[in-house]
Amino acid sequence: SQQGEEDPQALSIQEGENATMNCSYKTSINNLQWYRQNSGRGLVHLILIRSNEREKHSGRLRVTLDTSKKSSSLLITASRAADTASYFCATGSYTGGFKTIFGAGTRLFVKA
Amino acid sequence: EAQVTQNPRYLITVTGKKLTVTCSQNMNHEYMSWYRQDPGLGLRQIYYSMNVEVTDKGDVPEGYKVSRKEKRNFPLILESPSPNQTSLYFCASSPGVAASYNEQFFGPGTRLTVL
């Protein structure tokens, strides 16, 4: 069953602009993670935010988490062409085991 | 170099012919997992293992088997592959028992086609 749902499914912006992607989930979680995937390759972990945290920063990345709305957002500031990739949120929870559930992803295209 | 390796990277096979996709990590991670990725569906967890001899089902375990006899290896077995198992498969590992607290490191993927 899908847990995280990303929005939008696809996003096209100009280099230098900010990109915002949203993720919603359905059940309670221990943490939420964001991953990046370049065209059919393995996923790379970007950032993890725990359920008791509201905001986290890492370089040009800013992640927020609203557990009351069961949603998270990933902001990439001053985007670059090299940020072109698919971005996935993944929720970790103990519900039914130590599972990780990924959303369908947002495809980001940054035009130079 | 710390990494997760998968073999083979590409495989074309026929319905019913048993196959194994190997996964190995050199980071001494306790948690390992298999995912399949299909267009529009993101990654779906097949099986995971919290430690040697401890495995559990993910969301889509039907048609797959796994084993964890050694900490570093976590092979995925398809006893009788069918065309609906055509997909891109990823193995991942994580340092802690509770992967939900730790980032996962992914292998490069195995593209499987079942004719």
Side-chain angles (χ1 to χ4, degrees), chain A residues 45-77:
Chain A
H45 183 265
L46 295 175
I47 195 166
L48 179 152
I49 186 166
R50 303 196 193 288
S51 59
N52 60 354
E53 298 175 312
R54 291 295 167 259
E55 187 171 313
K56 205 161 183 180
H57 297 257
S58 177
R60 294 185 294 114
L61 305 179
R62 172 178 170 258
V63 169
T64 61
L65 178 64
D66 187 334
T67 53
S68 66
K69 295 182 179 178
K70 291 186 169 57
S71 67
S72 172
S73 67
L74 171 67
L75 169 67
I76 303 174
T77 60

Side-chain angles (χ1 to χ4, degrees), chain B residues 90-103:
Chain B
F90 288 101
C91 180
S93 71
S94 180
V97 173
S100 39
Y101 287 101
N102 293 285
E103 67 177 282

Side-chain angles (χ1 to χ4, degrees), chain B residues 1-7 21-34 48-54 67-76 90-97 103-108:
Chain B
E1 179 189 354
Q3 60 183 346
V4 178
T5 57
Q6 296 178 225
N7 282 292
V21 184
T22 65
C23 173
S24 183
Q25 51 92 6
N26 62 0
M27 296 170 279
N28 201 35
H29 286 173
E30 293 184 342
Y31 187 98
M32 297 186 74
S33 182
W34 276 103
Y48 62 93
S49 169
M50 291 183 286
N51 213 326
V52 175
E53 302 292 2
V54 180
S67 67
R68 187 92 181 273
K69 292 181 168 46
E70 305 167 284
K71 197 171 187 179
R72 64 182 292 125
N73 296 322
F74 190 45
L76 179 69
F90 288 101
C91 180
S93 71
S94 180
V97 173
E103 67 177 282
Q104 294 186 47
F105 295 81
F106 280 79

Side-chain angles (χ1 to χ4, degrees), chain A residues 12-19 60 76-80 83 110:
Chain A
S12 180
I13 59 174
Q14 291 290 137
E15 207 167 29
E17 294 180 338
N18 295 342
R60 294 185 294 114
I76 303 174
T77 60
S79 62
R80 306 165 182 167
D83 294 328
V110 181

